[in-house]
Amino acid sequence: MTAATDQDHTEHPGHPGTAAPAGEHSGDRPPAQDGSGPGRAEKETGRTPHTHGKEADMPGRTDEDSPGGSPRPSGAPPGDAPGRGGPAGAWDDGLIARRVAEGENAEQFTAVENRPPGGPATTPMVYDRPLRSRLDALRELVGLSRARLDNRTLAEAGRVLDEAAARRRHSGQHTVVAIAGATGSGKSQLFNMLAGVPISETGVRRPTTTAPIACSWSDGAASLIERLGIPPRLRRRPLQNGDADPQLRGLVLVDLLDHDSAAVHHREQVDRILRLVDAVIWVVDPEKYADAVLHERYLRPMAGHAEVMFVVLNQIDRLPGEAAEQVLDDLRRLLDEDGIALGEYGEPGATVLALSALTGDGVGELREALGQFVAQRTAPARRISADVDAAAWRLRPVYVTGRRTGLSEQAREEFAARLADAVGATAAGEAAERAWLRNANRACGTPWLRLWHWYQDRGEPPTGRLPARARADEETTARQRVEQAVRTVADRASAGLPAPWAQAVREAAARGAQGLPEALDELAARHGPPPGRPPRPGWWPVAVLTQASMTVLQFVGGLWLLGQIVGVMSPNLGVPVLLMVIGIVGGPLVEWSCRMAARGPARRYGLEAERRLREAAAGCGRARVLDPVAAELLRYREVREQYGRVVGTGTGAEAGGS
């Protein structure tokens, strides 16, 4: 490659101080058919065949060839030509000229657009309100999601936001259109045909185009072309002033490299520029229009960009009869299978045309369609909108769910019930109820029964106190119940959520579960029934007094009988026996009545103890687990609403599936 480049540079005709090879004359060199003629060095090495920035002398170029129309002696630098590169000219950095030999009368043209200081100012892009709203929503969506999604997932959305901001800073009066195609499709020939002059090199050598070339039809597009990374030496202007061709005024046409080139860096350049241009003209030929690489790598992924896409079937001059229409219909079928909408009946979609860049057949129709497209000045915004759609579609799996999400009230209640079971709320309530009944029996029972209970209860802990859960198996069982309750509520809360958000919900529940069993144990000790005797109702003194009276009657009757036996009192068995029977029967009867009356208060006392412990366990579980889970669900609902704004639904209902 280097040797060929150096040879082309030394053999360039008209170069000062360079002699033509033997047997050749600088003005009689035939057109190169293998791409090795003049201009090859410029294409392959990225430099123009001239010395020190001076324009090379062109054989056959006359004074009338200068767009300024002023005579210029051969070999004079471009700055000497009025209206071209002089102080009064529009382009103060000179013209980069090159020779494209096509036939005997080669037409010379090249010019670089570089607006001088003090030139006309460009008008920045202004996006409409819906697009601005979608971009703001996408920016908010990315900000809310950074803590939950990895950078790779959000990379495309971030790139779209950056490109939208960058494009907005540049001219809104220009539309950048790239001509893309495969090797040998004739895109460079079409590029030259649209420009009206042979700007881009064409030939049978593959790849012919080795660097992207830009052609601008009006002033003020320099920053846009710089954004594409195209250096000034590869920027051109049409042969006539862009003002003389108002149909394409505002157009910036870029001839790309072959997207199927064997050189990896060529394909990388194509991919990079395709992400930056406002529209694309895909040039296909009858042989490669169904190429899988084109459809699978470019057309199908860019199906959402149909409104800023032209698909041109070139080289129809090679198809006989109705073959061109048949191939064109098959191309439309393939595009439809790719999901690309076709704008055939006025609806938004891709423009599909058939032409021949060699004969010019159909080029006028493309020029007219391209002129109308550029005149609308909406291509940049439509491209950004399509990029937003594509980014939103890629993000759909991490935001959209097909079912209702959230934590139902039933799931919350079941979680609280599981924690209550783990902390032993039911058992605590039953224990409190039994303690109340036991205390009632002791207070209202007969002295003999109380003496028996006292004997049985010696060595037992005071009534009304919860048994300590000190055994290892009980603690292990309680911890397992708590962990199971947390896993269950986390699974229910994350059910139906996209994977990243479901993972965030489960992680929030797991963090809250740390230390939860210990906290529940502390609550059980603090909110259980107080130690000691349970409180007594108001009727208890009356019952105790009545039971004491029954005991007194038993003692009086017994002493009376004893006095009669020893002869101290007169014999009369009826009254003392009656008193003893009343005391003996009345004591148990009073005890039974008190037990029946104590069931209601004991039940209420146990339920109250269970309720306090359940509420304490539920509050602890809510603060440690349910609230963090609810915060994650709320964050998901927020990003879902923002995603709905991004896709244009306005709310997250349709996008979120709930």
Side-chain angles (χ1 to χ4, degrees):
M1 180 69 72
T2 305
T5 303
D6 295 337
Q7 181 181 3
D8 292 341
H9 183 72
T10 56
E11 292 179 359
H12 184 75
H15 192 283
T18 303
E24 292 187 7
H25 300 281
S26 61
D28 299 333
R29 185 172 181 176
Q33 300 299 327
D34 59 350
S36 61
R40 178 175 180 181
E42 178 184 353
K43 284 292 184 175
E44 296 182 351
T45 65
R47 62 184 182 183
T48 54
H50 59 280
T51 305
H52 304 296
K54 304 296 184 179
E55 181 178 357
D57 295 336
M58 295 297 180
R61 185 179 182 98
T62 61
D63 297 339
E64 288 76 15
D65 291 335
S66 173
S70 300
R72 178 171 61 92
S74 176
D80 297 340
R84 292 287 304 278
W91 314 107
D92 61 354
D93 60 347
L95 302 178
I96 301 177
R98 58 189 297 267
R99 179 170 68 91
V100 179
E102 292 185 356
E104 296 182 357
N105 298 324
E107 189 171 14
Q108 270 55 0
F109 166 82
T110 49
V112 179
E113 192 226 346
N114 185 14
R115 184 170 59 86
T122 59
T123 304
M125 274 292 303
V126 178
Y127 297 143
D128 56 11
R129 185 184 300 272
L131 181 55
R132 291 201 305 270
S133 176
R134 296 182 65 195
L135 290 173
D136 292 342
L138 183 60
R139 188 175 297 106
E140 184 71 16
L141 181 67
V142 171
L144 291 173
S145 305
R146 289 199 181 279
R148 300 296 177 267
L149 303 179
D150 56 89
N151 293 332
R152 182 180 301 178
T153 303
L154 298 173
E156 180 63 19
R159 186 195 67 81
V160 170
L161 291 173
D162 293 341
E163 296 300 338
R167 183 63 180 90
R168 190 175 183 178
R169 292 192 294 267
H170 296 286
S171 172
Q173 304 301 314
H174 291 80
T175 302
V176 183
V177 181
I179 299 183
T183 303
S185 61
K187 55 183 179 59
S188 296
Q189 198 170 31
L190 178 61
F191 180 85
N192 295 336
M193 182 66 70
L194 290 174
V197 288
I199 298 176
S200 186
E201 183 181 356
T202 61
V204 297
R205 179 176 56 87
R206 298 290 178 261
T208 303
T209 305
T210 56
I213 298 177
C215 181
S216 175
W217 267 255
S218 58
D219 300 346
S223 61
L224 276 174
I225 302 176
E226 290 175 0
R227 179 170 174 258
L228 303 180
I230 300 177
R233 57 186 172 77
L234 296 177
R235 304 175 192 177
R236 308 289 186 262
R237 293 295 297 271
L239 180 62
Q240 295 180 345
N241 193 318
D243 297 335
D245 191 4
Q247 188 179 23
L248 298 180
R249 178 173 176 79
L251 173 64
V252 178
L253 199 61
V254 180
D255 184 17
L256 294 182
L257 308 176
D258 301 334
H259 68 75
D260 60 348
S261 174
V264 177
H265 66 280
H266 284 189
R267 299 196 300 269
E268 292 176 349
Q269 276 205 37
V270 171
D271 295 343
R272 179 184 60 83
I273 296 180
L274 283 178
R275 289 195 295 264
L276 301 177
V277 297
D278 302 326
V280 184
I281 300 176
W282 290 102
V283 181
V284 298
D285 58 74
E287 295 178 355
K288 296 183 179 180
Y289 72 93
D291 183 27
V293 175
L294 172 64
H295 288 269
E296 295 177 3
R297 184 177 180 183
Y298 293 102
L299 295 181
R300 197 167 300 164
M302 295 182 65
H305 296 72
E307 294 187 30
V308 291
M309 187 184 300
F310 294 79
V311 182
V312 174
L313 176 63
N314 192 17
Q315 303 176 7
I316 60 172
D317 56 292
R318 298 168 50 191
L319 300 174
E322 298 180 355
E325 288 297 330
Q326 295 176 358
V327 174
L328 192 62
D329 291 341
D330 193 47
L331 175 60
R332 291 192 179 98
R333 178 187 63 81
L334 293 175
L335 294 176
D336 184 68
E337 292 178 357
D338 292 335
I340 297 177
L342 304 181
E344 296 179 337
Y345 303 102
E347 70 276 11
T351 302
V352 183
L353 299 172
L355 54 82
S356 173
L358 181 63
T359 64
D361 186 18
V363 176
E365 184 179 357
L366 174 62
R367 177 183 289 269
E368 181 179 357
L370 196 58
Q372 295 176 358
F373 180 79
V374 172
Q376 293 174 358
R377 301 288 190 268
T378 59
R382 283 190 284 176
R383 169 61 195 261
I384 295 299
S385 180
D387 287 343
V388 173
D389 291 338
W393 180 257
R394 292 187 182 95
L395 292 175
R396 183 179 178 84
V398 299
Y399 292 117
V400 175
T401 176
R403 54 178 292 185
R404 182 176 295 276
T405 60
L407 199 58
S408 64
E409 190 63 28
Q410 181 182 0
R412 294 173 180 269
E413 292 176 357
E414 291 183 2
F415 176 68
R418 288 174 179 269
L419 292 185
D421 292 340
V423 81
T426 302
E430 293 174 353
E433 182 179 355
R434 289 193 301 268
W436 208 98
L437 289 174
R438 190 183 305 113
N439 192 30
N441 292 336
R442 290 175 177 174
C444 302
T446 62
W448 328 115
L449 185 61
R450 294 173 64 184
L451 183 62
W452 174 249
H453 287 163
W454 172 81
Y455 176 77
Q456 284 185 330
D457 293 342
R458 281 189 313 172
E460 293 185 2
T463 60
R465 180 174 297 174
L466 285 175
R469 298 187 301 163
R471 290 181 298 178
D473 55 346
E474 293 182 357
E475 293 181 358
T476 302
T477 301
R479 181 177 295 274
Q480 291 175 349
R481 289 179 179 177
V482 172
E483 293 175 352
Q484 180 64 28
V486 173
R487 284 195 299 268
T488 301
V489 75
D491 291 341
R492 292 188 177 183
S494 61
L497 289 176
W501 304 101
Q503 180 66 22
V505 168
R506 288 191 290 267
E507 290 177 355
R511 288 193 300 269
Q514 297 176 359
L516 183 59
E518 292 78 6
L520 292 176
D521 288 339
E522 183 180 353
L523 287 176
R526 187 168 62 249
H527 294 277
R533 297 181 182 275
R536 299 174 179 180
W539 51 264
W540 275 31
V542 177
V544 172
L545 181 61
T546 304
Q547 190 65 264
S549 301
M550 296 299 103
T551 303
V552 170
L553 289 177
Q554 293 182 40
F555 275 102
V556 171
L559 291 176
W560 195 335
L561 287 177
L562 182 62
Q564 292 181 2
I565 293 174
V566 298
V568 178
M569 301 182 67
S570 60
N572 186 2
L573 297 177
V575 176
V577 171
L578 179 62
L579 292 176
M580 290 185 64
V581 169
I582 293 175
I584 293 173
V585 174
L589 183 62
V590 171
E591 181 182 357
W592 178 84
S593 299
C594 290
R595 183 177 298 177
M596 293 298 103
R599 285 187 175 180
R603 180 61 178 166
R604 289 191 294 271
Y605 180 75
L607 291 177
E608 179 63 20
E610 181 180 354
R611 183 191 63 80
R612 289 196 305 268
L613 195 53
R614 283 183 177 274
E615 290 182 352
C620 182
R622 181 173 56 253
R624 287 176 171 265
V625 177
L626 294 184
D627 287 349
V629 168
E632 291 297 333
L633 293 174
L634 179 61
R635 179 185 291 269
Y636 169 71
R637 281 192 287 270
E638 290 177 356
V639 299
R640 190 179 60 186
E641 292 177 359
Q642 294 297 332
Y643 182 80
R645 291 178 56 197
V646 172
V647 299
T649 60
T651 63
E654 179 180 344
S658 63

